[in-house]
Amino acid sequence: MSWGALYAQLGGVNKHSTSLGKIWLSVLFIFRVTILVLAAESVWGDEQSDFTCNTQQPGCKNVCYDHFFPVSHIRLWCLQLIFVSTPALLVAMHVAYRKRGDKRSMLASRGAERTPPAELETLKRRRLPIAGPLWWTYTCSLFFRLLFEGGFMYALYFVYDGFRMPRLVKCEQWPCPNKVDCFISRPTEKTVFTIFMVASSAACMVLNVAELCYLIAKALTRCLARSGDGRRRYGHADGVMADDALLQNKKNEMLLSSSTDSSSNKTMC
Amino acid sequence: MPAIVGGENSQQKRAGLQQIQHESMSWPALYAQLAGANRHSTSLGKVWLSVLFIFRVMVLVVAAESVWGDEQSDFTCNTLQPGCENVCYDQFFPVSHIRLWCLQLVFVSTPTLLVATHVAYQNRKDKRRLLQASCRAGFLSSKGPDEELEALKKRRLPISGALWWTYACSLLFRLLFEGGFMYALYVVYDGFQMPRLVQCDQWPCPNLVDCFISRPTEKTVFTVFMATASSICMVLNMAELAYLVAKAVTR
């Protein structure tokens, strides 16, 4: 159960995503997960063993490290990537539920004997359009993604007072005697990778916002197109009704004129 | 030369086989086993499996194991007395959190195999009946017996009758194991919080000695996370049990 297995799970969901969603998944796995596994983990590998304090007091280093690094960057990023990937599984569950319902209704209407397995396979393999309840599920999943991305980025900023790693921190936790200088291992490299991961996270957020706007625009145009059709149909009916009334008026006038003519004829004779 | 080459090849093969054996029994292998049984689960059961593998196994493997990686090497005691650190570590960490969680996840996944065994037994019985019937009838149906056997293997059994009882038992066992391990963790470590300092006076430590735990805050964060995920799984199991009972009662 590692990143490869998670990618396999999400790859299946990707079939029902928009193009922006597919780009998002690639950015997530190439620029964030791969960089985390291949590069960042070795930068932070010696974070505690090479955290050095200017004291021989036993326990002071442990306590100061714990005070300045309550949760390591690597763990925060791992949790962020897991949480950000998970909303896509909401969409997968919805799709699976819909397909099962469709399969059941097809079997019920045609009968299990008369349904060829090829048709069931095409039903299983088809790509559902993002409309109706699936639109809402997809939009919810995008909201959750944005929430988790923003939340974890804020947590990182808050816990570490910014995205820069200092070279020196001053510690006066017990059992350190007085104030003690502690030196962080590889601070510049850690700053570089932190900024890189934050930038990738921001790019993913921009992609999610763009995808959300695209979905909303698509839904609005669909609504407008539907209401536009309706209005045209209503206008045509109005015209037809007006024509009918006009025709009836003419008929009435003709009848009236014919009756007065006959009466006038009678009087003349 | 050929002998040496042959020797190298056989050594490589042995190493490869050992690697395969090591890799074959791991979390992905367990997932493969459970995913097969998952077909006969309810929707809540499928959600439970995803929560288990994504929020617990994956977090354990990818994050938690590195937090606890240096638990003994960075456990520091304020003494130069040889053996004191070993003894104090052993006293305060009888079983590491990581090992407890591994055991918990393995035990919690196992009851699903009860259901898989029952389904396999049912399929085998039906297959035997089908073969006997087709032998007696002499292939009167339009579909060949092979196609029917395949359909039998691929169908999804409804959760009723004996399978209902097996499924309900498996849910009860899951709840038992989850609760049991969470309670064991709470009892062994006096809660879910990891202190920064523990005081130890085991022999051979001279008097009372201060010992400092490595990364206590990060460990507390992950302990609380895993306990929360475990509670969520327990809630899902209880909901699934309630759903099954309600379904049986309405039937």
Side-chain angles (χ1 to χ4, degrees):
Chain A
M1 226 32 225
S2 66
W3 298 113
L6 187 69
Y7 182 68
Q9 292 263 343
L10 293 181
V13 181
N14 211 19
K15 207 168 32 126
H16 305 277
S17 303
T18 60
S19 315
L20 281 167
K22 290 171 181 150
I23 296 173
W24 170 84
L25 191 74
S26 307
V27 169
L28 187 83
F29 273 89
I30 296 174
F31 290 101
R32 295 171 75 184
V33 176
T34 310
I35 297 286
L36 182 82
V37 167
L38 290 180
E41 280 189 347
S42 42
V43 174
W44 268 267
D46 55 7
E47 54 178 332
Q48 192 173 0
S49 50
D50 280 344
F51 180 77
T52 324
C53 289
N54 188 3
T55 179
Q56 286 192 331
Q57 172 63 44
C60 176
K61 192 182 99 155
N62 280 29
V63 161
C64 290
Y65 177 82
D66 185 62
H67 177 75
F68 287 103
F69 296 90
V71 185
S72 170
H73 287 69
I74 296 282
R75 257 73 68 184
L76 271 177
W77 286 327
C78 282
L79 286 174
Q80 180 181 18
L81 290 167
I82 291 174
F83 273 81
V84 153
S85 315
T86 322
L89 299 176
L90 272 177
V91 179
M93 281 187 232
H94 186 128
V95 165
Y97 171 76
R98 256 275 287 276
K99 284 190 173 166
R100 208 165 69 177
D102 291 345
K103 180 177 165 186
R104 218 177 278 165
S105 55
M106 181 186 253
L107 288 171
S109 62
R110 305 254 235 97
E113 304 252 316
R114 276 180 284 158
T115 320
E119 269 200 48
L120 284 171
E121 271 302 305
T122 43
L123 195 83
K124 208 161 84 171
R125 291 225 175 99
R126 76 184 170 150
R127 179 173 180 256
L128 292 169
I130 304 176
L134 185 61
W135 185 92
W136 286 102
T137 309
Y138 201 92
T139 317
C140 272
S141 81
L142 284 175
F143 267 120
F144 277 118
R145 266 188 229 170
L146 280 166
L147 202 75
F148 290 139
E149 289 271 25
F152 275 95
M153 276 215 331
Y154 176 72
L156 189 76
Y157 188 87
F158 181 74
V159 165
Y160 290 101
D161 268 330
F163 297 131
R164 216 183 127 259
M165 187 71 80
R167 275 186 181 172
L168 161 76
V169 287
K170 289 190 199 268
C171 175
E172 43 186 353
Q173 300 284 310
W174 185 88
C176 302
N178 314 305
K179 197 173 261 203
V180 154
D181 288 339
C182 292
F183 299 89
I184 293 172
S185 135
R186 308 180 205 249
T188 312
E189 204 168 2
K190 286 180 179 166
T191 306
V192 166
F193 274 96
T194 306
I195 292 176
F196 181 89
M197 294 295 273
V198 165
S200 322
S201 179
C204 284
M205 282 178 83
V206 164
L207 283 169
N208 284 333
V209 168
E211 203 179 352
L212 200 60
C213 294
Y214 167 74
L215 282 179
I216 292 174
K218 209 165 103 163
L220 279 174
T221 47
R222 229 195 339 251
C223 271
L224 284 170
R226 228 181 284 143
S227 65
D229 272 342
R231 227 183 292 124
R232 249 182 279 124
R233 253 182 271 124
Y234 182 68
H236 177 71
D238 229 10
V240 163
M241 274 170 60
D243 283 344
D244 276 346
L246 215 63
L247 204 65
Q248 191 61 43
N249 273 347
K250 280 199 176 140
K251 279 187 194 164
N252 290 344
E253 275 175 25
M254 277 167 65
L255 279 168
L256 267 171
S257 60
S258 64
S259 66
T260 46
D261 271 346
S262 59
S263 62
S264 61
N265 277 348
K266 271 190 203 144
T267 47
M268 277 182 68
C269 282
Chain B
M1 273 313 189
I4 295 168
V5 166
E8 269 181 355
N9 273 347
S10 68
Q11 239 182 12
Q12 281 171 353
K13 271 191 203 155
R14 223 179 301 129
L17 192 70
Q18 275 175 354
Q19 197 191 14
I20 290 167
Q21 280 173 344
H22 172 74
E23 282 174 357
S24 69
M25 248 11 248
S26 63
W27 297 114
L30 185 68
Y31 182 69
Q33 294 265 344
L34 294 180
N38 203 24
R39 209 156 41 102
H40 305 276
S41 304
T42 60
S43 313
L44 279 167
K46 289 170 180 149
V47 172
W48 170 84
L49 192 74
S50 304
V51 169
L52 186 82
F53 273 89
I54 294 175
F55 290 102
R56 294 173 74 184
V57 176
M58 197 162 166
V59 168
L60 182 80
V61 168
V62 158
E65 280 189 347
S66 46
V67 176
W68 268 266
D70 56 7
E71 53 180 331
Q72 194 173 3
S73 52
D74 279 342
F75 180 77
T76 323
C77 291
N78 188 0
T79 179
L80 286 179
Q81 172 65 43
C84 177
E85 262 186 25
N86 281 30
V87 160
C88 291
Y89 176 82
D90 186 61
Q91 202 216 359
F92 288 103
F93 297 91
V95 185
S96 170
H97 288 70
I98 296 284
R99 259 69 71 187
L100 271 177
W101 286 326
C102 282
L103 285 173
Q104 181 181 19
L105 290 168
V106 168
F107 272 80
V108 153
S109 315
T110 324
T112 315
L113 300 177
L114 271 178
V115 178
T117 316
H118 185 125
V119 165
Y121 168 74
Q122 187 76 30
N123 280 343
R124 210 165 61 183
K125 230 173 48 175
D126 293 342
K127 179 178 165 183
R128 214 175 286 160
R129 212 183 313 138
L130 189 77
L131 285 170
Q132 284 175 348
S134 67
C135 275
R136 267 187 253 121
F139 311 129
L140 281 176
S141 64
S142 53
K143 277 197 252 180
D146 290 328
E147 280 182 29
E148 280 198 30
L149 283 170
E150 272 303 303
L152 192 89
K153 217 160 66 173
K154 288 208 177 110
R155 67 164 179 179
R156 181 174 177 254
L157 289 169
I159 304 175
S160 58
L163 186 61
W164 185 96
W165 285 103
T166 311
Y167 202 91
C169 272
S170 81
L171 285 175
L172 279 170
F173 275 118
R174 265 188 229 170
L175 280 166
L176 204 74
F177 290 138
E178 288 272 23
F181 275 95
M182 276 219 328
Y183 178 71
L185 190 79
Y186 190 87
V187 161
V188 166
Y189 290 101
D190 268 329
F192 296 130
Q193 209 220 353
M194 186 72 80
R196 269 185 183 175
L197 161 78
V198 287
Q199 298 190 303
C200 173
D201 58 358
Q202 298 285 304
W203 185 89
C205 302
N207 314 307
L208 196 75
V209 154
D210 289 336
C211 291
F212 299 90
I213 292 170
S214 137
R215 307 180 205 253
T217 312
E218 205 165 2
K219 286 179 178 166
T220 306
V221 166
F222 275 95
T223 306
V224 168
F225 181 90
M226 294 294 272
T228 312
S230 179
S231 322
I232 292 173
C233 284
M234 282 178 82
V235 164
L236 283 169
N237 284 333
M238 284 194 275
E240 202 179 352
L241 197 61
Y243 167 73
L244 281 180
V245 167
K247 211 165 100 161
V249 162
T250 50
R251 242 201 322 254

